[in-house]
């Protein structure tokens, strides 16, 4: 959440990527996966901020091409 708070205060973007979402950390893949609890915490934090946009990279890219 600290990463989100810092980016929010500075007006920056945060892009999260993950190869897997699992109930528990995936052995030998911790760097490339996330847990359900972490994903839920990120989503809940984003929902608590009315001016934060959370979406897929594809949706954001389509939006940016229409500017």
């Amino acid at each position: 959440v600290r990463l989100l708070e810092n980016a929010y205060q500075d007006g920056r973007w945060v892009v999260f990527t993950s190869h897997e979402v699992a109930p528990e950390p995936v052995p030998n893949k911790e760097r490339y996966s996330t847990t359900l609890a972490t994903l839920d915490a990120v989503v809940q934090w984003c929902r608590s901020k009315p001016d934060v946009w959370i979406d897929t990279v594809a949706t954001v890219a389509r939006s940016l091409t229409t500017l």
Side-chain angles (χ1 to χ4, degrees):
V1 173
R2 186 176 349 160
L3 175 70
L4 296 171
E5 287 289 348
N6 290 342
Y8 183 74
Q9 291 172 2
D10 294 343
R12 293 181 285 125
W13 288 30
V14 176
V15 178
F16 287 102
T17 60
S18 180
H19 290 279
E20 298 180 52
V21 178
E24 299 295 325
V26 178
N28 301 316
K29 295 184 180 180
E30 294 89 351
R31 184 174 177 177
Y32 305 105
S33 64
T34 192
T35 64
L36 292 170
T38 298
L39 181 59
D40 184 57
V42 168
V43 170
Q44 294 306 317
W45 184 91
C46 290
R47 287 182 175 169
S48 76
K49 307 292 186 198
D51 56 339
V52 169
W53 180 18
I54 183 171
D55 219 318
T56 65
V57 170
T59 300
V60 173
R62 275 194 302 275
S63 176
L64 293 174
T65 62
T66 62
L67 294 177

